[in-house]
Amino acid sequence: MSNKSFPLSKEQVQEIAKKYPTPFHIYDEHAIRENIRRLKAAFAWAPEFREHFAVKATPNPRIIEILKEEGAGTDCSSIAELYLSEAAGVTGEKIMLTSNDTPADEFRKAVELGAIINLDDITHVEYLEKHAGMPSCLSFRYNPGNLIEGNDIIGKPVEAKYGLTKNQLFEAYAMAQAKGVKRFGLHTMVISNELRTEGFIYTATLMFRLATELKERLGIHLEFVNLGGGIGIPYLPEQEPVDLDAVGKGIHQAYEESLGPAGLTDIAIAMESGRAMTGPAGWLVSTVLHEKHTYKNYIGLDSCMANLMRPALYGAYHHITVLGKEDAPCDHVYDVTGSLCENNDKFAIDRRLPKIDIGDLLVLHDTGAHGHAMGFNYNGKLRSAELLLCENGSIELIRRAETLDDYFATLKFPGSRMKG
Ligand SMILES: *Cc1c(COP(=O)(O)O)cnc(C)c1O
């Protein structure tokens, strides 16, 4: 069982909402720090462990800064994320650019920042050289094809658009060597939101074997093996969190077994965890606007799928707490909806909850990763503020809510009809 807790009382949230009206996402600084410390502890055996926080999970420089204080770098997959990383003070090889279908300006910015570049395709070697020049440390993303099974977010590796085949991988390293690159890493990311220990160990084993093959065939002594992200979180109350210590121990064993005989036990372990760092440390707080009874019972919130896409996009479960009714019996069944003109704009369907009243504050759990980040403006919906519950108990606004002016800012209005 995972404990679906929320660090604030109803009274505290009411106080916060006077200054920062709902809806908003709120992140718990202490919980984020604890999450990365647990990850680092699981890999304390490694000669070096690097966490490149996957910025796309929570693209906010304040969050990147907190993780940086804990030793993390960033994993960027767009030019905007490179700028956010730079703004948070994360530069050089603390950045790993793992993007795909990459435009030239993004490669240029990454090279300018001194980032490690992780190429998604063999053709990108020449594209990178032509448009940005070669970085001093290059990595390739391996796609193991049908050697491994995925789950329903990333799908089967053979069908995933990412990475190079094994044959291409060897050819690509040789090409880069011929172009004078001397420092290399290896990357893969094949699992997503995975809770079971075995998947991580299996992937690591595959990668360590590949590292020894690279040494044998091309004389490449890798500087790091990056196992990607994909550490899941227990969205459902009955799920268990990933046993990070078991993952760390299993990977350590695979590391010694595969890399030991090849004399490669100085290779650093890298990860690009996003979800597991910030996901459980964030909540979407929303107020009940309407209650509607037709063929079903609906609770309408002041937020919508623009604030949290995952239920509509993946049918994902997000636990809901009604503040002040934590101990009340869940003897009502509701669809909890947003206001977007899309019938799948539902945060929960047929959810057993306590009796809900208009004005109640609802907390949607585990929204710290891929929550606000996935927001969009369809239907003219505006994205919410992001708040930080600091370790000293204070509340910091780390992103203001969008306004209609933001929404209209890119439009060219005819004449002066929309002045003022
Ligand atoms: C999304 C992503 C991650 C982070 O995945 P999580 O599931 O959030 O840990 C890491 N690396 C790459 C390349 C990604 O696309």
Side-chain angles (χ1 to χ4, degrees):
M1 288 284 286
S2 62
N3 179 20
K4 292 289 165 209
S5 62
F6 178 63
L8 298 163
S9 68
K10 179 182 171 186
E11 291 68 31
Q12 284 172 310
V13 173
Q14 283 171 331
E15 212 39 51
I16 294 166
K18 282 183 194 162
K19 192 163 178 197
Y20 306 115
T22 63
F24 54 76
H25 286 266
I26 185 161
Y27 310 114
D28 181 348
E29 176 182 1
H30 181 69
I32 292 172
R33 290 186 189 274
E34 289 294 307
N35 289 341
I36 182 160
R37 285 174 194 172
R38 265 197 303 275
L39 180 68
K40 286 171 69 177
F43 289 93
W45 54 265
E48 188 190 343
F49 177 71
R50 310 175 186 174
E51 154 66 356
H52 295 274
F53 171 63
V55 174
K56 79 168 190 279
T58 323
N60 188 304
R62 187 69 178 92
I63 301 294
I64 299 170
E65 186 183 51
I66 291 168
L67 287 158
K68 177 189 172 222
E69 285 167 11
E70 298 294 333
T74 54
D75 160 42
C76 299
S77 52
S78 69
I79 194 161
E81 292 178 2
L82 288 168
Y83 277 102
L84 288 173
S85 178
E86 187 180 22
V90 178
T91 56
E93 293 189 0
K94 288 295 244 182
I95 304 176
M96 178 117 174
L97 177 76
T98 298
S99 61
N100 67 95
D101 191 18
T102 310
D105 62 343
E106 193 175 310
F107 276 139
R108 275 194 292 273
K109 181 68 187 169
V111 169
E112 177 198 315
L113 286 171
I116 297 172
I117 296 191
N118 186 33
L119 294 182
D120 186 64
D121 189 45
I122 188 165
T123 62
H124 293 191
V125 179
E126 278 181 357
Y127 185 85
L128 172 67
E129 185 186 39
K130 178 168 168 218
H131 293 283
M134 299 309 272
S136 66
C137 187
L138 196 62
S139 169
F140 291 96
R141 179 172 186 163
Y142 174 48
N143 181 330
N146 53 19
L147 284 174
I148 196 169
E149 298 219 337
N151 67 16
D152 54 3
I153 293 187
I154 250 184
K156 297 187 170 114
V158 254
E159 309 210 341
K161 67 172 177 170
Y162 308 111
L164 293 79
T165 67
K166 194 166 170 183
N167 286 340
Q168 289 174 336
L169 198 72
F170 284 90
E171 206 183 315
Y173 278 102
M175 274 168 76
Q177 276 179 314
K179 293 185 187 298
V181 180
K182 299 212 160 47
R183 299 173 50 226
F184 292 101
L186 171 67
H187 171 275
T188 197
M189 160 99 190
V190 282
I191 45 187
S192 183
N193 196 23
E194 179 60 63
L195 291 172
R196 294 161 302 176
T197 308
E198 306 79 53
F200 300 102
I201 299 172
Y202 183 78
T203 312
T205 307
L206 203 74
M207 296 292 276
F208 297 150
R209 289 196 187 133
L210 203 50
T212 62
E213 259 186 270
L214 280 165
K215 176 75 183 173
E216 285 160 19
R217 287 172 55 183
L218 297 173
I220 289 176
H221 189 135
L222 293 173
E223 289 194 6
F224 66 85
V225 168
N226 186 328
L227 303 171
I231 302 172
I233 60 170
Y235 287 100
L236 294 159
E238 60 267 27
Q239 288 174 323
E240 296 288 344
V242 174
D243 184 346
L244 286 177
D245 285 332
V247 169
K249 280 203 182 80
I251 293 180
H252 186 191
Q253 196 186 342
Y255 184 92
E256 294 297 339
E257 283 172 10
S258 298
L259 301 179
L264 296 173
T265 49
D266 57 352
I267 295 180
I269 300 288
M271 285 201 81
E272 299 168 340
S273 181
R275 190 191 311 267
M277 298 299 98
T278 53
W283 299 262
L284 172 62
V285 179
S286 196
T287 303
V288 176
L289 282 187
H290 298 286
E291 184 179 345
K292 168 171 175 167
H293 302 280
T294 51
Y295 305 103
K296 296 185 90 172
N297 299 318
Y298 295 102
I299 293 298
L301 304 186
D302 62 357
S303 55
C304 69
M305 63 190 278
N307 308 108
L308 180 67
M309 290 278 280
R310 299 188 72 261
L313 206 55
Y314 310 123
Y317 179 95
H318 280 266
H319 196 67
I320 295 177
T321 298
V322 186
L323 288 184
K325 298 183 179 175
E326 289 83 353
D327 299 320
C330 291
D331 52 5
H332 284 62
V333 176
Y334 296 111
D335 279 15
V336 179
T337 78
S339 55
L340 210 125
C341 289
E342 265 292 335
N343 196 41
N344 62 351
D345 183 19
K346 293 179 178 176
F347 293 114
I349 296 171
D350 297 330
R351 183 75 58 90
R352 297 193 73 84
L353 289 163
K355 181 179 184 315
I356 293 176
D357 298 292
I358 290 171
D360 276 352
L361 287 161
L362 262 59
V363 169
L364 286 100
H365 293 253
D366 303 307
T367 70
H370 317 132
H372 188 286
M374 278 190 189
F376 64 151
N377 287 124
Y378 183 46
N379 217 181
K381 298 300 176 184
L382 304 177
R383 276 169 296 182
S384 77
E386 292 180 293
L387 306 181
L388 182 69
L389 169 60
C390 302
E391 279 200 307
N392 67 9
S394 64
I395 302 292
E396 186 183 329
L397 179 70
I398 60 172
R399 184 197 299 267
R400 68 163 171 81
E402 284 179 347
T403 64
L404 282 173
D405 282 340
D406 295 324
Y407 179 68
F408 295 143
T410 52
L411 287 172
K412 197 156 164 37
F413 286 100
S416 55
R417 247 177 278 157
M418 277 288 291
K419 261 220 189 112

